[in-house]
Amino acid sequence: MVRRAPLYLGDCAGTHPGRPRLAQPAPDNGRHPDRLRRELLLCGGRRLAGDVPRGRDATVLRKIRGTADVSDELGEIERSVLTEGAGTLSDLVAPAVRLPLLLGVGLAILQQATGINTVIYYAPTIFQFAGLTEATASIAATVGIGVVNVLVTFIAIRLVDRAGRRPLLLWSLAGMGIAMLLLGVGFALENSGAGGAAVSLGQVTAASLIIYVAAFALGLGPIFWLLIAEIYPLSVRGLAMSLATVTNWAANFIIAATFLSLVDLIGESGVFLLYALVALLAWLFVFKLVPETKGLSLEQIEAYFRSRGRPGG
């Protein structure tokens, strides 16, 4: 459920105050530049195969941009297409690629290290830890989490181009961290005998996990896959995305495989508080390093990271 990358496209509230944004493009009559790029790439691919004349590309671009002179932008797009996939492994450590590579690999690890697939895989076990020993109740709660995951993902799709990647990531990680903190504190109080009778641990667990999964589906889940498709230069995009994806799956395996061992070592409350700490570290990582890419063309994003890769950038 968490790995359905084609569905993931999330976004939410404006950029955090005080944080610099990448320069925004000129208005494009309401048409998103990535849609333009896909259309032009399709036309460009056909043209290179001899099916569509070059003038078709320029016609599409003029229509969308609302201006007669599109030669510079068209040339930039064509140059990008010609360089796609031309990079090698050594290009992954080029100055202009280092920060995007750090972001992609870092988010791949942090997405899993916050414990999302532990919650998905071990939801019935977690509810049993919380006292829902009946199989029916445990399975029903697990199904509810899955439904929340899917429904909120569709909400994220609606928000992707209205708000921005950074804000959704920050709100998402904040919600995930708070949910794990509540869950960890709930288990700690229950284990110490200080839990109140007004709210059972099972109720706290259900509420915490629903908030956690909803926050993940609104931001960190879909936006990780969206960002790794945006931030890399075309020449190394395939290699860099492959590295980020392999890293994500490796982290998934390690986090899921160690969950029960961690529970034995530091207890349920300790594990969930650890995930809350990871969510805090992930929030700081995003706040410090991840730029806003909403509304920017792939060429503008590449130019931004190229400028960051220069000395003093």
Side-chain angles (χ1 to χ4, degrees):
M1 193 173 297
V2 177
R3 301 180 298 279
R4 55 190 190 286
L7 284 177
Y8 277 147
L9 290 169
D11 268 318
C12 182
T15 301
H16 192 282
R19 292 293 300 170
R21 290 170 59 97
L22 278 66
Q24 297 295 310
D28 59 3
N29 296 331
R31 299 292 296 273
H32 194 279
D34 285 346
R35 284 195 205 112
L36 162 66
R37 178 175 179 75
R38 286 194 292 271
E39 190 167 356
L40 287 175
L41 288 179
L42 179 60
C43 294
R46 289 175 178 167
R47 183 179 60 76
L48 291 174
D51 294 333
V52 178
R54 186 180 192 277
R56 168 71 188 281
D57 297 354
T59 300
V60 172
L61 191 53
R62 288 191 197 99
K63 180 180 178 181
I64 295 174
R65 289 303 189 202
T67 180
D69 186 9
V70 295
S71 57
D72 290 343
E73 185 173 359
L74 184 59
E76 185 179 9
I77 291 172
E78 289 178 334
R79 285 190 295 272
S80 296
V81 172
L82 292 175
T83 63
E84 185 168 8
T88 63
L89 287 174
S90 61
D91 293 325
L92 291 177
V93 295
V97 183
R98 289 173 191 164
L99 179 55
L101 192 67
L102 172 64
L103 295 180
V105 172
L107 287 174
I109 295 171
L110 291 170
Q111 187 200 55
Q112 296 299 325
T114 52
I116 182 59
N117 278 323
T118 294
V119 169
I120 300 298
Y121 299 155
Y122 291 100
T125 302
I126 294 171
F127 282 114
Q128 289 175 3
F129 288 160
L132 296 180
T133 56
E134 294 184 9
T136 302
S138 180
I139 292 173
T142 303
V143 170
I145 288 175
V147 170
V148 168
N149 194 5
V150 173
L151 292 179
V152 177
T153 297
F154 281 107
I155 295 173
I157 292 172
R158 301 289 298 178
L159 293 174
V160 63
D161 287 329
R162 298 183 180 183
R165 284 68 163 146
R166 260 179 65 86
L168 268 189
L169 281 174
L170 293 172
W171 283 108
S172 171
L173 285 163
M176 293 169 68
I178 291 171
M180 286 292 100
L181 179 63
L182 290 175
L183 189 56
V185 170
F187 271 100
L189 292 176
E190 184 71 16
N191 293 336
S192 67
V199 179
S200 70
L201 181 57
Q203 292 171 318
V204 171
T205 300
S208 298
L209 293 187
I210 287 172
I211 294 170
Y212 174 83
V213 170
F216 175 86
L218 190 65
L220 184 60
I223 292 177
F224 161 69
W225 298 106
L226 179 59
L227 280 178
I228 66 171
E230 291 182 330
I231 61 178
Y232 299 121
L234 278 170
S235 59
V236 296
R237 181 158 296 148
L239 287 172
M241 288 183 66
S242 298
L243 179 59
T245 301
V246 169
T247 302
N248 185 263
W249 277 100
N252 175 10
F253 173 79
I254 293 170
I255 300 302
T258 58
F259 173 66
L260 294 179
S261 298
L262 279 174
V263 169
D264 290 338
L265 183 64
I266 60 177
E268 298 94 343
S269 62
V271 172
F272 297 126
L273 291 175
L274 177 62
Y275 291 157
L277 176 61
V278 173
L280 172 61
L281 296 176
W283 191 96
L284 295 172
F285 179 89
V286 171
F287 182 82
K288 182 69 175 176
L289 295 177
V290 176
E292 180 57 76
T293 60
K294 184 190 75 169
L296 299 180
S297 69
L298 298 178
E299 290 78 19
Q300 288 171 313
I301 296 171
E302 183 175 344
Y304 167 79
F305 284 115
R306 194 183 301 120
S307 68
R308 288 289 302 270
R310 298 192 190 108

